[in-house]
Amino acid sequence: MTAEKEGQQAIVTNNDHLVQSDNPDHPANLIPSLCAKFWTLGWVTGTGGGASIREDDLVYIAPSGVQKELMKPSDIYVLSLAAQVKSLDKRQRVYLRSPPAYKPSQCTPLFLAAFTKRHAGCCIHTHSHWAVLVTLILERQKSTEFRINSIEQIKGFGRGFGKSGNLGYHDTLVIPVIENTAQEEDLTEFLEEAMDRYPDTYAVLVRRHGVYVWGDNVHKAKTQCESLDYLFQLAVEMKRLDLPWITDIEPVEPTASS
Ligand SMILES: CSC[C@@H](O)[C@@H](O)C(=O)COP(=O)(O)O
Ligand SMILES: [Zn+2]
């Protein structure tokens, strides 16, 4: 059986058992439950945004254009990463499991970039207002990088792919910004380019659109996405107060009490 997917033909078989589990941490259960939480944060409203999880060779993907907070495990696509990488036609997706009556998320090639180029275990895409506002502020500054330092929450970020430990309080967090494209999948080459230029980054902002954030596993992708959204909100408020995102201000010395 074949079906029209992402404008391409995709091979479809019906391995329903791949999305059936009583374990709440099974990716087919976790994607719907995470997206329901993300919806309350305004990250995946109006069908925008989403999340994908990789467990070894298997990649779990949401359908396109659905209310992401109302998804069910039976709505989830499953793809073999090895078969995908081996496929001669890189745009053809090799689905092991495909729900009827849907197309897979348009974010699929971007999620796959995080899995193949960064060996990520989870990738989250949000349309958070804070992420979009940060890209608008940076657009005015003609900047293609978000930089912030001397904020405790920076410690919520890993040092980079293949590196152990997290950033420290005195480190600067740098997130590249790429320009939006009319079609989500056309962002892929620019996302991959940003990954090459910023090998330590765990996130890429998309101008006037949102952000892609990944991590070695679901826990890391989620907490990094939360830390980043916290920092984006803080940065927007700092901008309103005319406070700089980068500071070399010396720590305030405690004054002797009289
Ligand atoms: C509100 S439409 C948003 C989409 O075009 C896209 O940006 C997106 O994030 C979700 O794509 P989808 O294919 O529904 O998973
Ligand atoms: Zn999007």
Side-chain angles (χ1 to χ4, degrees):
M1 190 167 101
T2 60
E4 186 76 6
K5 309 293 175 191
E6 288 181 71
Q8 300 290 312
Q9 290 278 296
I11 300 160
V12 178
T13 56
N14 219 13
N15 288 310
D16 287 348
H17 67 279
L18 291 176
V19 296
Q20 292 165 348
S21 168
D22 293 334
N23 182 353
D25 290 336
H26 186 283
N29 295 328
L30 210 44
I31 290 175
S33 65
L34 283 176
C35 283
K37 290 191 174 80
F38 296 163
W39 183 83
T40 66
L41 300 170
W43 289 4
V44 297
T45 48
T47 78
S52 178
I53 296 174
R54 179 185 68 82
E55 239 182 38
D56 301 322
D57 180 48
L58 298 185
V59 173
Y60 297 81
I61 293 162
S64 179
V66 301
Q67 297 180 75
K68 299 288 178 2
E69 76 282 12
L70 300 182
M71 277 185 298
K72 301 181 298 296
S74 58
D75 297 334
I76 301 297
Y77 287 81
V78 186
L79 180 148
S80 160
L81 203 56
Q84 184 61 55
V85 169
K86 265 192 236 144
S87 166
L88 292 178
D89 181 353
K90 297 297 169 212
R91 290 166 68 94
Q92 179 178 297
R93 305 276 169 245
V94 187
Y95 290 99
L96 300 176
R97 200 266 165 181
S98 201
Y102 286 127
K103 287 181 181 180
S105 170
Q106 289 176 28
C107 312
T108 299
L110 293 114
F111 293 145
L112 291 179
F115 299 146
T116 55
K117 283 180 81 73
R118 289 295 174 268
H119 210 65
C122 176
C123 185
I124 300 167
H125 171 43
T126 90
H127 283 196
S128 161
H129 285 173
W130 304 116
V132 175
L133 280 168
V134 161
T135 69
L136 293 173
I137 293 169
L138 290 167
E139 184 176 57
R140 207 168 247 193
Q141 299 168 0
K142 300 201 184 314
S143 176
T144 56
E145 269 180 357
F146 170 69
R147 285 178 171 264
I148 193 162
N149 72 355
S150 299
I151 300 290
E152 179 72 5
Q153 197 76 27
I154 287 168
K155 287 158 67 176
F157 257 78
R159 288 204 164 273
F161 180 54
K163 297 183 177 171
S164 62
N166 279 18
L167 293 179
Y169 175 64
H170 294 291
D171 289 321
T172 297
L173 176 72
V174 184
I175 308 290
V177 185
I178 59 173
E179 301 307 317
N180 200 26
T181 54
Q183 301 299 326
E184 191 96 17
E185 66 177 3
D186 295 336
L187 288 170
T188 314
E189 62 175 299
F190 302 107
L191 183 98
E192 290 182 342
E193 236 174 66
M195 285 172 162
D196 292 340
R197 275 188 293 118
Y198 296 82
D200 289 337
T201 195
Y202 282 100
V204 174
L205 277 159
V206 184
R207 186 102 61 205
R208 295 173 175 268
H209 180 157
V211 65
Y212 280 84
V213 186
W214 56 91
D216 298 346
N217 50 47
V218 174
H219 167 91
K220 287 191 179 166
K222 177 174 174 287
T223 55
Q224 290 188 147
C225 199
E226 287 165 355
S227 292
L228 203 50
D229 206 57
Y230 170 103
L231 290 165
F232 290 156
Q233 177 170 4
L234 188 72
V236 171
E237 301 293 353
M238 286 168 86
K239 183 75 186 165
R240 257 201 265 264
L241 297 168
D242 209 20
L243 295 168
W245 296 344
I246 291 290
T247 177
D248 52 8
I249 293 169
E250 292 298 313
V252 179
E253 293 296 331
T255 48
S257 56
S258 50

